[in-house]
């Protein structure tokens, strides 16, 4: 019986992967989901589909499939990558709907935040994860009366990146974005502090 289900899993996986190559994402998803049901070690194939939706800018679908991949494989090979792209997919989904004036809920951003938090926890040297966490929290914040939810993560990114001069140099543009964001936040609250950040940005 066990072998039977493994053979089936391989058949579904093979079918799913050939559908994926043929650009039939939704059929691929059906087959590969079946393959994962039969044998959870196939979860990385789900991540492949999620990535193909991500690359096609179908972010909501991508995020949902990354969720499935994460559920099937919370800590295994490639799971870090799944958390990372899951967060980005939710972020871009929200941002796209927001600029299209579709009034999206912030539920996806909450999921994005917990996924990217997982990345910073498991791989603390993934510098970009802190920056993404800041960007996600920026969108989560109250527009009319921002609480500065993103600030601790902007600060973490700065702290991480400025530990080594060569890393700071390589991340110049991102550092500047950070300083500008912090400066912008403090502009109405603490002009001196804002000036300090803007000067750092220029530097």
């Amino acid at each position: 019986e066990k072998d039977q289900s493994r053979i089936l899993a391989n058949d579904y996986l093979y079918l799913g992967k050939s559908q994926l190559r043929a650009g039939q994402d939704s059929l691929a998803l059906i087959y590969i989901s079946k393959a994962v049901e039969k044998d959870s070690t196939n979860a990385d194939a789900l991540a492949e589909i999620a990535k193909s939706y991500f690359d096609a800018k179908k972010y909501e679908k991508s995020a949902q499939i990354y969720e499935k991949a994460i559920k099937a494989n919370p800590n295994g090979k490639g799971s870090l990558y799944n958390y990372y792209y899951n967060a980005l997919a939710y972020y871009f989904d929200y941002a796209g709907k927001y600029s299209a004036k579709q009034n999206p809920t912030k539920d996806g951003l909450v999921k994005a935040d917990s996924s990217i938090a997982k990345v910073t926890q498991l791989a603390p040297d993934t510098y970009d994860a802190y920056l993404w966490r800041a960007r996600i929290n920026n969108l989560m914040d109250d527009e009319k009366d921002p609480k500065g939810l993103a600030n601790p993560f902007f600060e973490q990114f700065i702290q991480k990146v400025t530990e080594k001069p060569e890393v700071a140099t390589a991340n110049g543009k991102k550092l500047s974005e950070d300083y500008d964001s912090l400066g912008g936040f403090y502009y109405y609250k603490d002009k001196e502090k804002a000036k300090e950040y803007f000067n750092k940005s220029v530097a």
Side-chain angles (χ1 to χ4, degrees), residues 23-44:
Q24 300 287 328
D25 287 348
S26 46
L27 272 177
L29 181 59
I30 293 168
Y31 288 126
I32 288 177
S33 297
K34 285 185 194 288
V36 174
E37 257 166 56
K38 304 260 175 233
D39 182 356
S40 66
T41 57
N42 292 318
D44 53 342

Side-chain angles (χ1 to χ4, degrees), residues 134 137-155 158 176-198 201:
N137 276 272
N138 235 355
L139 289 183
M140 280 165 76
D141 215 339
D142 186 335
E143 234 182 319
K144 294 183 179 51
D145 180 24
K147 307 281 181 279
L149 296 183
N151 294 359
F153 309 113
F154 279 130
E155 295 283 7
I158 291 166
S176 174
E177 174 194 334
D178 264 38
Y179 288 131
D180 284 344
S181 300
L182 287 163
F185 175 78
Y186 284 112
Y187 188 73
Y188 298 103
K189 295 177 165 57
D190 183 341
K191 285 273 196 291
E192 275 310 301
K193 205 163 184 175
K195 207 168 114 189
E196 194 182 310
Y197 283 121
F198 287 137
S201 171

Side-chain angles (χ1 to χ4, degrees), residues 36 40 43 46 63-76 79 82-83 86 115:
V36 174
S40 66
L46 268 180
Q64 290 163 352
I65 301 165
Y66 273 121
E67 288 282 322
K68 283 187 173 184
I70 287 167
K71 213 173 158 178
N73 168 28
N75 312 309
S79 57
N82 295 349
Y83 286 116
N86 177 246
S115 278

Side-chain angles (χ1 to χ4, degrees), residues 33-97:
S33 297
K34 285 185 194 288
V36 174
E37 257 166 56
K38 304 260 175 233
D39 182 356
S40 66
T41 57
N42 292 318
D44 53 342
L46 268 180
E48 273 177 62
I49 301 183
K51 187 70 169 72
S52 92
Y53 276 105
F54 186 92
D55 293 341
K57 297 186 167 42
K58 294 176 181 163
Y59 296 119
E60 185 176 9
K61 192 82 180 150
S62 171
Q64 290 163 352
I65 301 165
Y66 273 121
E67 288 282 322
K68 283 187 173 184
I70 287 167
K71 213 173 158 178
N73 168 28
N75 312 309
K77 179 173 77 65
S79 57
L80 202 63
Y81 191 79
N82 295 349
Y83 286 116
Y84 189 83
Y85 276 101
N86 177 246
L88 266 57
Y90 275 125
Y91 172 87
F92 287 126
D93 178 53
Y94 179 91
K97 286 173 177 167

Side-chain angles (χ1 to χ4, degrees), residues 116-134:
I116 205 73
K118 197 90 177 143
V119 178
T120 58
Q121 179 196 335
L122 296 171
D125 282 347
T126 312
Y127 303 124
D128 278 7
Y130 299 97
L131 190 53
W132 279 113
R133 193 160 187 203

